[in-house]
């Protein structure tokens, strides 16, 4: 991990495929990266903050794109691990009348996040640990990771920040309560 990191963001990086028009009518999808915690990481990095991102990415055709895109945004990727699952994805279409969003988030790389993915030594080097309810909704092991990272942070006088970010289209309220 790069020295003097301000904040570690625990999250899920998704592939965004975006259409200008309805999904039924479009012939072109543009590729981006996204997700609630990624947006936060990029904003902090663009404001001059030193950010490391903790997630898992799949060993598919998008993993190199994700890592490269984060690094271009000056986000430290040393805490990102790969696994054999696929990367999560969402497809979004924009029209003047409506916005369609389709999520593909089951059995993805980031659902395998667990307490083994961050050490107390890393946490001690930080100023802040941040995560969201979306991350906690991914799996029981990701929920435990957020809980333990926050517990270790508090024990080491590291600030914690949490956004419940409840999204009813792919989570239920119980996901964010633990």
């Amino acid at each position: 991990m790069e020295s003097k990191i301000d904040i570690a963001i625990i999250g899920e990086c998704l592939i965004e495929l975006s259409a200008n028009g309805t999904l039924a009518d479009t012939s072109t999808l543009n590729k981006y990266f996204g997700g609630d915690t990624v947006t936060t990481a990029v904003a902090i990095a663009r404001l001059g903050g030193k950010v490391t991102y903790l997630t898992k990415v799949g060993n598919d055709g998008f993993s190199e794109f994700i890592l490269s895109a984060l690094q271009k945004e000056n986000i430290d990727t040393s805490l990102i691990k790969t696994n054999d699952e696929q990367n999560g994805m969402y497809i979004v279409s924009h029209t003047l009348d409506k916005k369609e969003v389709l999520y593909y988030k089951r059995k993805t790389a980031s659902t395998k996040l667990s307490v083994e993915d961050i050490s107390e030594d890393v946490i001690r080097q930080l100023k802040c640990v941040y995560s969201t309810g979306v991350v906690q909704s991914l799996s029981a092991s990701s929920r435990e990771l957020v809980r333990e990272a926050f517990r270790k942070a508090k024990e080491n006088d590291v600030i914690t920040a949490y956004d419940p970010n409840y999204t009813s289209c792919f989570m239920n309220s119980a996901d964010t309560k633990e």
Side-chain angles (χ1 to χ4, degrees):
M1 183 173 72
E2 185 180 309
S3 62
K4 299 185 181 174
I5 295 289
D6 294 322
I7 185 169
I9 296 182
I10 303 169
E12 170 191 36
C13 189
L14 300 166
I15 296 299
E16 175 186 317
L17 299 177
S18 181
N20 291 322
T22 66
L23 292 178
D25 295 332
T26 193
S27 61
T28 304
L29 294 169
N30 297 301
K31 177 180 68 173
Y32 304 99
F33 65 102
D36 66 334
T37 56
V38 170
T39 303
T40 302
V42 168
I44 293 168
R46 288 182 180 178
L47 290 169
K50 300 282 188 184
V51 181
T52 191
Y53 196 73
L54 188 156
T55 194
K56 289 191 176 177
V57 296
N59 192 15
D60 62 17
F62 292 113
S63 61
E64 188 176 318
F65 167 72
I66 290 170
L67 294 171
S68 175
L70 292 172
Q71 290 164 355
K72 285 178 185 173
E73 291 289 349
N74 294 313
I75 296 170
D76 175 79
T77 58
S78 64
L79 297 179
I80 297 177
K81 297 177 184 173
T82 59
N83 64 27
D84 289 331
E85 304 296 334
Q86 295 181 350
N87 287 296
M89 179 182 301
Y90 63 101
I91 302 170
V92 61
S93 71
H94 306 274
T95 66
L96 293 175
D97 300 337
K98 67 178 181 175
K99 178 178 174 179
E100 296 174 275
V101 183
L102 304 173
Y103 288 98
Y104 298 92
K105 295 171 51 98
R106 299 219 185 271
K107 296 184 181 180
T108 61
S110 55
T111 64
K112 304 299 183 185
L113 284 165
S114 68
V115 294
E116 291 81 27
D117 293 321
I118 192 167
S119 71
E120 193 162 349
D121 289 339
V122 168
I123 291 172
R124 281 189 199 114
Q125 298 174 40
L126 303 169
K127 294 180 184 175
C128 182
V129 176
Y130 172 85
S131 195
T132 70
V134 171
V135 178
Q136 288 193 294
S137 75
L138 296 174
S139 63
S141 64
S142 65
R143 201 165 25 257
E144 182 67 16
L145 167 62
V146 172
R147 184 183 308 117
E148 280 299 302
F150 278 36
R151 185 187 63 74
K152 289 175 184 175
K154 289 177 183 177
E155 286 176 359
N156 288 282
D157 296 320
V158 173
I159 296 167
T160 58
Y162 181 78
D163 179 357
N165 194 9
Y166 179 74
T167 307
S168 63
C169 62
F170 59 83
M171 57 196 291
N172 63 60
S173 61
D175 293 329
T176 61
K177 289 183 178 176
E178 291 186 43

